[in-house]
Amino acid sequence: MSYESIACLYSWKIVLAIALISLPLPALSENKQLNNYQPQILQTEISDRDLKIIEQLVAIAQRQSSHVQKAKAAMGWGAFTDVLSVEFSPSQSTIDYNLPDLVSESERSFAIAMTIDPIKVLSIIQQLPIREARWHEVKQQKRVVVVQYYLAYLKARQATKIAAYRMQQLALVGAKTERIASMNSQVTLSDRVSQMANPDYVAAATEMLNTNARDRLALEELAACVGLSSQATITLLEASNLNNE
């Protein structure tokens, strides 16, 4: 290889090294972050894990519901309280011996009288299937409400993930634009302020706030429906997610 060829080769290496050094390091970092960011997989159907969580929430909600418990009690012994009446009647009797050496004695006693109304008994027995059907109906209504609130919470959570992803993408692009603007001596402070007032960024931030608010409201409604606190509901959901992973 001639001396001119070697000199030309080294000159190209020097130029390439200078170009790499002149490239700002934040740009490399931001591009790598953009390229390596993996969005969360969105849910497209109700999974078996969701069905297991729903069953747990339904069981707790039915156990905590006063309407369900009242309908259940109407089938037990409480249904026969009106057919049975109990009366306590105290009595006192005095025995007089009519003798000078003996003093009369007093004796107290209580009498218990129980009365059963056979007509009411037959009427309640005939109503037991209706009361049982009412109990199952109230349980099913509670189940439907729990499912509705859980699905609303599930959709709110996914909407929050989508809004967070869009917000992060706009933040990364905005950071890159701000870096380029800071390198340009022609850009004024008012131009940078106008970039921060990007309507796309404002819309994404507003949507992020709305989705977070709907997410929290959906959690509170689900917790109230089940009969637990919001923190207890979160703990139950997180434990169910860990157990089903």
Side-chain angles (χ1 to χ4, degrees):
M1 182 178 294
S2 64
Y3 175 78
E4 291 80 2
S5 300
I6 295 175
C8 182
L9 179 60
Y10 276 103
S11 64
W12 276 106
K13 289 183 177 180
I14 293 172
V15 172
L16 181 59
I18 293 174
L20 290 175
I21 294 174
S22 63
L23 184 62
L25 293 179
L28 291 174
S29 177
E30 290 168 2
N31 289 334
K32 184 178 180 181
Q33 188 174 5
L34 260 173
N35 295 331
N36 293 339
Y37 181 79
Q38 297 294 333
Q40 299 185 24
I41 298 177
L42 298 181
Q43 187 171 350
T44 58
E45 61 182 7
I46 306 302
S47 63
D48 293 336
R49 175 181 60 84
D50 293 320
L51 295 178
K52 291 179 181 179
I53 294 176
I54 288 175
E55 292 301 328
Q56 293 178 2
L57 294 176
V58 168
I60 297 174
Q62 291 177 347
R63 187 168 59 250
Q64 298 278 41
S65 174
S66 60
H67 297 286
V68 175
Q69 296 304 318
K70 183 178 180 180
K72 182 179 180 180
M75 301 185 306
W77 290 107
F80 296 91
T81 56
D82 294 337
V83 303
L84 178 64
S85 61
V86 180
E87 294 182 0
F88 293 90
S89 56
S91 61
Q92 182 174 357
S93 58
T94 303
I95 302 176
D96 190 0
Y97 295 99
N98 295 324
L99 295 174
D101 297 335
L102 296 177
V103 183
S104 60
E105 297 180 357
S106 299
E107 185 179 67
R108 294 181 179 181
S109 61
F110 292 90
I112 300 177
M114 301 179 62
T115 305
I116 298 178
D117 191 338
I119 298 179
K120 288 185 177 180
V121 172
L122 294 176
S123 176
I124 291 175
I125 292 176
Q126 292 176 351
Q127 292 179 2
L128 284 179
I130 300 176
R131 299 190 180 194
E132 184 177 1
R134 175 59 181 167
W135 176 52
H136 289 294
E137 181 182 356
V138 174
K139 288 176 60 179
Q140 190 63 25
Q141 290 174 352
K142 193 64 178 180
R143 178 185 183 86
V144 171
V145 175
V146 171
V147 173
Q148 288 177 344
Y149 282 122
Y150 178 77
L151 295 181
Y153 171 74
L154 203 64
K155 292 188 289 185
R157 289 289 298 168
Q158 178 146 307
T160 302
K161 293 179 182 179
I162 296 173
Y165 173 74
R166 293 175 179 173
M167 188 73 179
Q168 185 169 9
Q169 295 301 301
L170 284 174
L172 292 176
V173 174
K176 183 177 180 181
T177 304
E178 180 68 18
R179 180 191 58 79
I180 296 174
S182 63
M183 295 173 58
N184 188 357
S185 60
Q186 302 295 328
V187 178
T188 63
L189 180 60
S190 61
D191 294 329
R192 297 184 184 180
V193 174
S194 65
Q195 290 174 0
M196 293 300 296
N198 186 346
D200 293 334
Y201 182 83
V202 173
T206 303
E207 181 62 21
M208 186 69 192
L209 178 60
N210 291 336
T211 53
N212 278 323
R214 287 194 295 266
D215 187 1
R216 185 64 191 187
L217 179 60
L219 173 63
E220 294 292 342
E221 291 177 341
L222 177 62
C225 175
V226 175
L228 299 175
S229 65
S230 57
Q231 186 59 45
T233 304
I234 292 176
T235 303
L236 186 148
L237 295 176
E238 291 177 350
S240 299
N241 290 336
L242 292 176
N243 293 335
N244 290 281
E245 286 182 355

